[in-house]
Amino acid sequence: MKHLIDSSDLSLAEESAVIELALDIISHRDAYREKCRGRKLATLFYEPSTRTRLSFTAAMMELGGNVLGFADAASSSVSKGETVTDTVRVVSCFADIIAMRHFKEGAPLAASHYATVPVINAGDGSHAHPTQTLTDLLTIRREKGRIDNLTIGFCGDLRYGRTVHSLLRALSRHSGIEVVLISPEELRLPEYILHNVCERHNMPVSEVRTMEEVMPRLDVLYMTRVQKERFTDEAQFERLRDTYILTPEKLSSAKSDMVVLHPLPRVNEITQSVDSDPRAAYFRQVENGKFVRMALICKLLEEADATMKPAAAQQHENGCRCEAMHCSNPVCITATEDVAPLFHRDENGTLRCAYCEASADAEAK
């Protein structure tokens, strides 16, 4: 594990090792206070963030390390036109590890091809958010005592929700998971994830339109907000934003030990009156994120110290080049930066972009 770009980058054993290390950190926090003394984390956040950026900062500080970087791309050389790849080449000279959030899908993967230090994807567009996935898994483990044999409902924005996409990939490798998808038609889970993740791994899936009809079945309810920043049609956003609102009344039919998760921030999809319910775990989930990121930083730095390869040797590990094709996704990093186009074939034989998973377009750029 040299970088963490997608939750699928981790083997099941590596995922388990990160979670076990996080649990050990929780139990023996004093033993880790000097673990990263003299090391530096760069936080490159091209997109607004509160929880994720501060969580990475708190994680590195609790490990005894230092943090540098930017929280607003407008205050960096990005505003002068500097590319992601040039930025990480420069920052690799100053830091031991990089956490990057970017509005362009695939940007952290492109960065990892040129960085000489580990890169962690802190969220890229609506594509993936692997550290949130590890946070979710740790929270489920701590709240339910297990990750296997659970019925998990995902409610809200399943189309653009990168946390949902990443968590589904991770859950597909665990046994006995049943998934219930709760969304309006316009925000349904993308077909390629439904097929390549759920169906491919024989994970039972059902789709419904209301949470009330499935609430008694659920062990975990994962709520998401309808994300205004992902919509190009504001009228559609206004029409969909209040589709699902969790209230104490709707929770009344749920199991007494059901767990409510939310990656936050919330807007109005969970009323504040739910916060006092012991099943509401979303603020405990936030703290778990810090412990997961502490564990991940330790693991990646340990691996880097032992085996990190120079950037030039990493460039084409994530797919094959095909100069006659380009990605069909207008918000993919390949649409705006001169990075090598990389593709792989999914189980249906569809050629997909290695950066964002969108299908390839045969017309040359």
Side-chain angles (χ1 to χ4, degrees):
M1 178 175 57
K2 299 175 182 64
H3 308 280
L4 181 63
I5 307 302
D6 190 90
S7 56
S8 60
D9 292 345
L10 297 176
S11 67
L12 197 54
E14 288 172 327
E15 173 195 290
S16 178
V18 172
I19 290 173
E20 291 301 326
L21 179 55
L23 290 169
D24 191 65
I25 291 170
I26 292 167
S27 299
H28 307 95
R29 292 175 69 171
D30 286 345
Y32 292 87
R33 294 201 184 278
E34 300 292 320
K35 188 73 173 177
C36 290
R37 178 66 61 188
R39 312 303 289 269
K40 295 182 287 294
L41 165 72
T43 55
L44 309 184
F45 277 62
Y46 293 74
E47 189 177 54
S49 169
T50 302
R51 276 148 303 280
T52 304
R53 184 173 61 84
L54 293 181
S55 180
F56 270 109
T57 299
M60 192 58 164
M61 292 176 69
E62 287 209 23
L63 292 168
N66 297 302
V67 182
L68 53 91
F70 55 81
D72 180 0
S75 64
S76 74
S77 290
V78 174
S79 63
K80 303 174 185 177
E82 185 174 57
T83 63
V84 166
T85 54
D86 277 0
T87 296
V88 298
R89 283 166 160 158
V90 170
V91 173
S92 292
C93 300
F94 307 142
D96 300 289
I97 187 168
I98 294 170
M100 174 183 285
R101 168 166 289 189
H102 205 289
F103 52 90
K104 288 288 185 179
E105 297 176 11
L109 176 59
S112 73
H113 292 163
Y114 295 90
T116 54
V117 299
V119 174
I120 303 172
N121 181 3
D124 61 330
S126 59
H127 178 228
H129 197 350
T131 64
Q132 181 66 49
T133 297
L134 290 167
T135 297
D136 299 339
L137 292 173
L138 175 61
T139 305
I140 293 170
R141 168 76 178 274
R142 295 189 74 191
E143 296 288 328
K144 300 298 295 181
R146 67 188 190 280
I147 299 175
D148 298 327
N149 302 310
L150 294 168
T151 299
I152 302 179
F154 292 88
C155 181
D157 181 0
L158 310 188
R159 178 180 179 183
Y160 299 111
R162 60 190 171 199
T163 59
V164 173
H165 303 171
S166 290
L167 183 53
L168 280 170
R169 289 188 182 94
L171 290 171
S172 70
R173 302 187 298 183
H174 290 267
S175 62
I177 297 294
E178 181 181 350
V179 171
V180 181
L181 304 175
I182 310 162
S183 71
E185 180 66 28
E186 295 90 340
L187 297 177
R188 289 181 65 228
L189 190 73
E191 284 294 330
Y192 77 91
I193 294 179
L194 191 62
H195 177 79
N196 292 337
V197 177
C198 303
E199 294 176 4
R200 175 189 172 194
H201 292 92
N202 298 313
M203 189 164 62
V205 176
S206 56
E207 294 187 77
V208 298
R209 293 290 173 262
T210 69
M211 67 175 80
E212 291 90 334
E213 62 191 287
V214 294
M215 191 72 78
R217 296 171 46 199
L218 303 180
D219 298 304
V220 177
L221 174 61
Y222 195 100
M223 295 293 296
T224 66
R225 69 185 172 95
V226 177
Q227 303 173 84
K228 183 177 183 179
E229 63 270 27
R230 307 297 178 206
F231 282 77
T232 56
D233 183 345
E234 187 168 348
Q236 186 183 52
F237 165 75
E238 292 295 335
R239 181 168 54 82
L240 296 173
R241 62 180 299 181
D242 297 330
T243 304
Y244 301 107
I245 300 176
L246 183 63
T247 64
E249 292 71 28
K250 291 177 181 176
L251 270 175
S252 63
S253 63
K255 295 177 181 179
S256 61
D257 63 346
M258 188 191 77
V259 177
V260 180
L261 302 182
H262 193 307
L264 301 180
R266 71 170 163 187
V267 182
N268 67 336
E269 60 277 1
I270 301 177
T271 64
Q272 291 190 5
S273 54
V274 172
D275 296 352
S276 59
D277 192 303
R279 293 169 291 190
Y282 29 89
F283 293 116
R284 298 192 292 273
Q285 186 179 359
V286 171
E287 187 174 26
N288 286 332
K290 179 184 66 176
F291 297 125
V292 152
R293 291 176 179 108
M294 290 173 72
L296 186 61
I297 289 168
C298 290
K299 287 282 187 185
L300 285 170
L301 286 176
E302 181 180 350
E303 177 73 15
D305 289 342
T307 64
M308 194 71 187
K309 297 186 296 185
Q314 300 172 40
Q315 290 189 23
H316 305 307
E317 292 181 350
N318 300 91
C320 59
R321 296 193 65 170
C322 186
E323 299 292 351
M325 310 293 286
H326 74 269
C327 178
S328 61
N329 180 5
V331 295
C332 178
I333 190 66
T334 60
T336 54
E337 293 205 11
D338 184 20
V339 297
L342 299 174
F343 299 92
H344 61 81
R345 291 195 182 278
D346 66 17
E347 287 69 24
N348 285 337
T350 301
L351 200 62
R352 294 197 174 277
C353 176
Y355 296 95
C356 71
E357 299 182 72
S359 60
D361 191 324
E363 296 181 7
K365 285 185 177 178

